[in-house]
Amino acid sequence: MTLYRPAAHLAAALAVATSCAAPALAQTASPAPAVPQAYPVKDFFKNSPKAYFRLSEDGKTLSFMQPTGEGNRRNIFVQPLKGSEPQGEARQLTQETARDIDNYAWKGNRTVLYTKDFGGDENFHVVAVDTVTGLVTDLTPYPGVRASIENDLPDDPNHILVSHNKRDPKVFDIFKVDLRTHKAVLVAQNPGNVVGWSIDHAGRVRMGTTSDGVNTSVLYRDGSTGAFKPIITTDYKTSVDVQFFTADNKRFYALSNRGRDKQALVLIDPKKADAEQVVYENPEVDLDNAAWSRKRRVLTLANYQTAKAQRKFFTAQDEALFKKIEAKLPGYEVILQSATRAEDKFIVAAMNDRTPGTRYVYDAGADSLAKLADINPSIPEKDMAAITPVSYTSRDGMKISGYLTLPVGRGDKNLPCIVNPHGGPWHRDSWGYNPEVQFLANRGYCVLQMNFRGSTGYGRQFWEASFGQWGLKMQDDVTDGAQWLIKQGIADPKRVGIYGGSYGGYATLAGVTFTPDLYAAAVDYVGVSNLFTFMKTIPPYWKPMLEKMYAMVGDPERDKERLTATSPALNADKIKTPLFIAQGARDPRVNKAESDQVVEALKKRGVEVQYMVKDNEGHGFHNEENQFEFYSAMEEFFGKHLKPGV
């Protein structure tokens, strides 16, 4: 039930952090870097000239997204590919004008699939585009219905599996959709408590994960028909996250923390589901996911994050592939973003903490890279700030890991600083390029991102430590981070600000409510303010998880006193810090009323509050022009109160 996830910031090799001192900075023997120019707001947040490159199944066609038209919206283009080189003119496939296309994928060699919502309402439709005829078809043309692609059925050229909640807004059924006739056939009806489905390599819906909010069961059936039967039942604190089946479709891989603190990759036989075979576990952190080769029908690697991203390889071939590519791109994190069916060509992303990087086509047979595009040529890597992994100890002795970004050329003492708690809250910040962080650093601020208790990836005990702690120990972790900056001499205690989105917006409001003297300015972006009204207005498809939310956040009846005490909107009389709030009017997760309550309460008291509402946005601003306006207003607001030029 993630409230907000910022764009993924991909990571590279491990660096060590210290918990008792400021991070190592530039060597004193080296000349101090000059203060870079202040790059325009638009340069940080505008759509890339070309991005989101993908390969068709046979590798003969390249696709990408490019902003076009009066609204400069991201649309999909296709272009012939010969070897690793694009040929001829690119052709525009889609004509979206209201909102950017967020992401898309190939189905075979002729069809491209993407999803779109309307004004940020998150009721996504699945849309197919024929790359030969240009025909665009909405495969789920149902108002107020949320749909997604469950499986692209790579061995079936004419069908895909789609899930949607048309029958019942609270749950999702699965349909097989014919891309020629657009007819949809029900293949798995949700009994009312399935919150996730799993499909085998033959395209059959074989498993479901149920939840009553407190207990979770994994359901299984031998084939594509017949009844699902529970094979694993756990409480909500224990996870068995199905990844994919083995090549013979008889067993399955899962990420599990049954009987352990960290989530490990395990192999499970449905006939003996309680006997897990551990394939790989890391003693420090949870695993994020695992990957599978369709061509070779083998497990390839597992991804996880310590201070930076790591991989565990299961085949020599995959390890050799990455090593070859990484040798050609020293100093950059390498991600494979797309591949042909034959696994002989790949789209390679090369990036680091100071740049979103460059995209290439890698031809495995020729061992060659062909450059496609720089993702943001307007921002020079040399002028951006390094992001350093750090850690500090919370007041109750818990290690809190995070990332510190110091502005280039401004030293490491007495700086204006922005404390930036992440959304989720059961998510985490990662090492890598972050346009918000680089924008703020470019304006002269140091930025601290912390993975407070409850952040994912650090094991079950660390996650459980957040239960019932919104506004309490979770907030203490944020406050302790701000105090750590001050104690290290990095932050000027009179020029500390706080900014966050969604749960990070809640932490921002809680910060200025419960520690009103700590922050000189605050920016709340689509943040929760009232824990009672927030839980009353969640989307219908979150309802099966409501009891879990009550257990992890608080029950409105049983925990009424605590929720009242930790809801910023109900304690707004304590707020005196200048505050800027931004909100999407169509936000389905954090209703506009969450922001309205705070604004109204502060205006009655005459406390400065700046309010920006966008009628065509939801949970976070998506459209380019709205982002420009928001970040420009943020720059002016923080500049006024934190005075980065001093």
Side-chain angles (χ1 to χ4, degrees):
M1 58 182 77
T2 301
L3 299 182
Y4 172 74
R5 285 194 180 179
H9 310 307
L10 300 167
L14 172 65
V16 178
T18 173
S19 63
C20 59
L25 305 174
Q27 297 295 317
T28 54
S30 302
V35 175
Q37 71 178 76
Y39 290 91
V41 172
K42 292 183 179 181
D43 285 355
F44 288 94
F45 301 105
K46 65 186 176 184
N47 283 327
S48 300
K50 286 185 179 180
Y52 298 89
F53 292 91
R54 304 285 185 266
L55 294 168
S56 62
E57 190 176 85
D58 60 9
K60 294 181 179 179
T61 309
L62 175 73
S63 60
F64 57 88
M65 288 206 282
Q66 179 176 313
T68 61
E70 185 177 345
N72 209 40
R73 303 295 184 232
R74 277 199 309 258
N75 275 281
I76 302 170
F77 288 70
V78 290
Q79 189 172 13
L81 191 67
K82 186 175 182 180
S84 57
E85 297 290 340
Q87 304 290 312
E89 291 294 320
R91 179 164 51 91
Q92 185 172 346
L93 274 187
T94 61
Q95 306 290 334
E96 296 292 339
T97 58
R99 291 171 70 75
D100 291 332
I101 294 173
D102 189 52
N103 213 337
Y104 73 98
W106 278 91
K107 163 65 176 173
N109 299 313
R110 179 166 175 162
T111 303
V112 167
L113 304 168
Y114 69 96
T115 56
K116 60 180 287 187
D117 74 345
F118 303 86
D121 65 0
E122 298 188 13
N123 288 319
F124 294 98
H125 290 201
V126 177
V127 182
V129 188
D130 188 309
T131 63
V132 176
T133 66
L135 179 66
V136 178
T137 305
D138 187 343
L139 299 176
T140 55
Y142 318 120
V145 170
R146 180 183 174 100
S148 64
I149 301 165
E150 283 288 331
N151 195 284
D152 64 348
L153 300 180
D155 296 322
D156 182 340
N158 299 316
H159 297 87
I160 61 172
L161 294 181
V162 169
S163 66
H164 62 67
N165 60 345
K166 180 175 183 289
R167 180 183 60 85
D168 181 343
K170 296 189 293 296
V171 296
F172 295 83
D173 304 319
I174 295 190
F175 298 82
K176 179 179 270 191
V177 179
D178 191 315
L179 297 174
R180 301 159 300 179
T181 66
H182 311 141
K183 182 180 178 181
V185 176
L186 179 69
V187 294
Q189 180 167 310
N190 199 316
N193 60 350
V194 172
V195 294
W197 299 96
S198 298
I199 292 97
D200 70 11
H201 299 301
R204 300 172 297 182
V205 182
R206 296 278 302 283
M207 302 180 71
T209 300
T210 71
S211 176
D212 61 9
V214 176
N215 295 304
T216 299
S217 291
V218 175
L219 308 182
Y220 175 83
R221 64 182 180 184
D222 285 330
S224 57
T225 59
F228 289 95
K229 297 180 180 179
I231 58 171
I232 298 170
T233 298
T234 65
D235 63 19
Y236 70 94
K237 299 176 183 179
T238 306
S239 65
V240 181
D241 182 9
V242 178
Q243 296 290 287
F244 36 74
F245 279 82
T246 53
D248 60 7
N249 289 320
K250 292 181 178 179
R251 296 177 295 167
F252 61 91
Y253 291 97
L255 297 180
S256 169
N257 65 358
R258 285 195 291 176
R260 64 182 69 86
D261 182 62
K262 304 298 189 293
Q263 202 167 48
L265 180 64
V266 301
L267 185 59
I268 298 176
D269 183 340
K271 296 177 181 177
K272 298 174 287 185
D274 287 332
E276 296 179 345
Q277 177 185 336
V278 176
V279 178
Y280 176 71
E281 61 180 321
N282 185 280
E284 295 182 61
V285 293
D286 297 323
L287 303 188
D288 290 337
N289 53 52
W292 176 266
S293 167
R294 288 176 175 173
K295 176 189 176 183
R296 289 171 285 140
R297 295 162 61 84
V298 294
L299 174 69
T300 58
L301 59 86
N303 293 297
Y304 60 98
Q305 299 177 68
T306 50
K308 297 183 180 180
Q310 309 286 333
R311 297 184 183 96
K312 165 64 179 177
F313 292 100
F314 298 109
T315 75
Q317 180 175 337
D318 290 285
E319 186 170 13
L321 172 67
F322 274 88
K323 284 184 175 179
K324 282 184 179 180
I325 299 172
E326 288 168 347
K328 298 176 186 296
L329 298 165
Y332 294 93
E333 165 73 0
V334 168
I335 307 293
L336 303 186
Q337 295 184 322
S338 177
T340 58
R341 187 179 180 92
E343 297 179 9
D344 56 357
K345 291 181 189 175
F346 303 87
I347 298 295
V348 174
M351 63 194 80
N352 60 29
D353 55 338
R354 291 172 292 118
T355 176
T358 304
R359 304 297 178 264
Y360 303 87
V361 175
Y362 177 69
D363 186 320
D367 188 26
S368 64
L369 278 176
K371 182 177 176 179
L372 294 172
D374 293 319
I375 296 303
N376 189 350
S378 300
I379 301 290
E381 179 181 346
K382 66 180 179 61
D383 285 345
M384 295 297 100
I387 295 179
T388 304
V390 296
S391 66
Y392 57 90
T393 302
S394 70
R395 66 190 66 182
D396 62 350
M398 187 167 286
K399 178 183 175 181
I400 306 299
S401 300
Y403 301 91
L404 177 65
T405 304
L406 299 179
V408 176
R410 297 176 188 264
D412 62 345
K413 299 296 181 185
N414 208 39
L415 295 167
C417 291
I418 307 295
V419 173
N420 181 212
H422 62 71
W426 302 293
H427 179 50
R428 64 159 289 170
D429 273 321
S430 302
W431 185 91
Y433 181 77
N434 182 321
E436 290 186 335
V437 170
Q438 293 296 346
F439 166 63
L440 291 169
N442 184 247
R443 295 309 190 257
Y445 302 102
C446 87
V447 182
L448 178 65
Q449 303 163 274
M450 74 288 294
N451 287 320
F452 44 80
R453 71 191 69 201
S455 298
T456 53
Y458 296 95
R460 176 171 168 168
Q461 184 177 352
F462 190 81
W463 174 63
E464 288 184 23
S466 70
F467 294 179
Q469 295 300 316
W470 285 41
L472 300 172
K473 290 183 179 180
M474 292 171 75
Q475 193 65 33
D476 289 345
D477 293 344
V478 177
T479 302
D480 292 345
Q483 296 288 6
W484 177 80
L485 284 174
I486 294 169
K487 289 175 184 175
Q488 298 297 325
I490 298 168
D492 178 344
K494 295 182 179 179
R495 293 191 294 162
V496 177
I498 184 169
Y499 159 62
S502 195
Y503 177 83
Y506 167 83
T508 295
L509 293 174
V512 297
T513 303
F514 307 122
T515 51
D517 296 318
L518 181 58
Y519 301 107
V523 177
D524 157 33
Y525 187 34
V526 298
V528 174
S529 74
N530 183 325
L531 296 175
F532 297 98
T533 56
F534 163 63
M535 285 189 276
K536 284 182 180 178
T537 57
I538 61 173
Y541 41 84
W542 279 14
K543 291 292 175 63
M545 309 299 290
L546 192 56
E547 289 299 323
K548 178 179 177 180
M549 186 176 289
Y550 286 170
M552 294 172 68
V553 180
D555 185 293
E557 296 298 328
R558 185 176 62 249
D559 303 312
K560 183 177 181 180
E561 184 176 342
R562 172 166 59 81
L563 297 183
T564 300
T566 54
S567 291
L570 303 180
N571 296 275
D573 59 307
K574 300 175 183 177
I575 299 175
K576 60 183 182 181
T577 306
L579 180 62
F580 171 31
I581 296 177
Q583 177 70 48
R586 305 194 70 182
D587 190 337
R589 306 189 208 183
V590 179
N591 193 277
K592 179 175 175 287
E594 293 297 307
S595 294
D596 290 345
Q597 294 175 62
V598 178
V599 172
E600 182 180 354
L602 293 183
K603 283 186 173 179
K604 284 182 179 178
R605 292 177 45 231
V607 176
E608 179 180 347
V609 58
Q610 184 175 329
Y611 194 23
M612 178 183 290
V613 178
K614 292 300 175 185
D615 292 335
N616 62 343
E617 295 285 9
H619 199 58
F621 294 173
H622 191 87
N623 285 349
E624 191 179 61
E625 68 276 10
N626 293 332
Q627 292 190 46
F628 295 162
E629 186 178 346
F630 169 62
Y631 290 112
S632 295
M634 178 195 289
E635 176 182 12
E636 183 178 355
F637 180 82
F638 276 141
K640 175 182 176 182
H641 297 288
L642 302 184
K643 299 178 175 57
V646 175

